[in-house]
Amino acid sequence: GDSVTQMEGPVTLSEEACLTINCTYTATGYPSLFWYVQYPGEGLQLLLKATKADDKGSNKGFEATYRKETTSFHLEKGSVQVSDSAVYFCALSEMDSSYKLIFGSGTRLLVRP
Amino acid sequence: SAVISQKPSRDICQRGTSLTIQCQVDSQVTMMFWYRQQPGQSLTLIATANQGSEATYESGFVIDKFPISRPNLTFSTLTVSNMSPEDSSIYLCSVDVGESNYGYTFGSGTRLTVV
């Protein structure tokens, strides 16, 4: 079945450092890909998405490119802030009748001043 | 995107009792999804609720334990029945208003502790 694999955390960075959180997927079709963020004590928020190969999703300085050849959707940010500390979830949804989301295990990011 | 109101936001319950969680959406949606997030873990889909039909449960989840109602296109409930401490989790509802192209919106979650 479909699955999403994320790098394990926690990831600890200093403010203004570069961030990459790896995400790879397996899917039978052509899924849409998502990154969600969960700030401490809050619910899940959509960070960015991409619906087809080579699409780049971006939001709040974060980017991720849908790479079909490597089945990857790595999350990147050039300069992280303390306020970026959160748990990040990679997810996919097949374009079929179920429309359900399949999540990776999540990666906790801690940014220190 | 849709706005979801989920309640209660948290509860502490005695084992053996049941809790019903409500999810209200500000627009009509075809599918509503219920997820569970166990402590420190990722989200797992419990079931998909369509209006006017039985919910579709994922492997490992059964209707007797997690009965779901979907009386109209803006509302759903999830009941956690005969609770045990292992049911302590965050339960979230989710909707997709744009056939997945728009991304899914989540409620703020219900943090359940069973003692």
Side-chain angles (χ1 to χ4, degrees):
Chain A
D2 295 356
S3 66
V4 177
T5 302
Q6 282 181 246
M7 64 186 290
E8 289 194 18
V11 174
T12 303
L13 296 173
S14 298
E15 203 165 24
E16 299 184 2
C18 294
L19 168 71
T20 299
I21 300 177
N22 291 335
C23 171
T24 58
Y25 67 91
T26 59
T28 54
Y30 302 95
S32 294
L33 302 175
F34 306 86
W35 277 101
Y36 281 85
V37 58
Q38 188 174 38
Y39 297 103
E42 298 186 15
L44 230 62
Q45 301 176 27
L46 177 65
L47 181 60
L48 54 84
K49 61 178 172 66
T51 59
K52 61 183 187 296
D54 299 326
D55 268 3
K56 178 185 285 187
S58 61
N59 186 25
K60 299 181 181 180
F62 291 89
E63 293 183 339
T65 301
Y66 190 143
R67 301 287 188 198
K68 184 180 176 183
E69 63 276 13
T70 55
T71 62
S72 64
F73 193 55
H74 304 323
L75 182 68
E76 299 176 326
K77 187 174 186 183
S79 176
V80 295
Q81 306 300 312
V82 172
S83 58
D84 293 326
S85 298
V87 181
Y88 293 81
F89 293 95
C90 185
L92 70 80
S93 176
E94 288 277 21
M95 298 296 286
D96 61 10
S97 59
S98 70
Y99 293 110
K100 64 184 181 184
L101 277 170
I102 297 171
F103 284 89
S105 56
T107 303
R108 181 176 299 277
L109 171 65
L110 175 61
V111 180
R112 294 180 169 161
Chain B
S1 63
V3 176
I4 300 174
S5 174
Q6 186 175 339
K7 59 182 181 181
S9 59
R10 58 178 64 230
D11 208 341
I12 301 173
C13 300
Q14 297 290 324
R15 68 175 66 201
T17 62
S18 298
L19 175 71
T20 295
I21 302 167
Q22 298 181 4
C23 184
Q24 178 76 51
V25 190
D26 69 346
S27 58
Q28 293 185 339
V29 293
T30 303
M31 292 183 176
M32 296 180 75
F33 305 89
W34 287 98
Y35 287 85
R36 181 176 72 181
Q37 185 179 20
Q38 294 179 298
Q41 299 194 24
S42 187
L43 285 80
T44 302
L45 181 65
I46 298 171
T48 303
N50 293 328
Q51 192 267 335
S53 63
E54 292 285 332
T56 302
Y57 288 82
E58 297 298 304
S59 176
F61 298 96
V62 295
I63 188 171
D64 290 346
K65 176 67 175 177
F66 297 101
I68 288 171
S69 77
R70 183 79 201 275
N72 56 53
L73 291 173
T74 64
F75 186 79
S76 179
T77 67
L78 169 76
T79 299
V80 186
S81 303
N82 189 24
M83 288 183 286
S84 66
E86 291 71 34
D87 295 320
S88 297
S89 295
I90 299 173
Y91 293 86
L92 301 103
C93 67
S94 174
V95 302
D96 171 35
V97 297
E99 297 182 353
S100 97
N101 283 332
Y102 299 100
Y104 297 73
T105 301
F106 283 81
S108 54
T110 297
R111 183 179 296 272
L112 170 63
T113 302
V114 183
V115 297

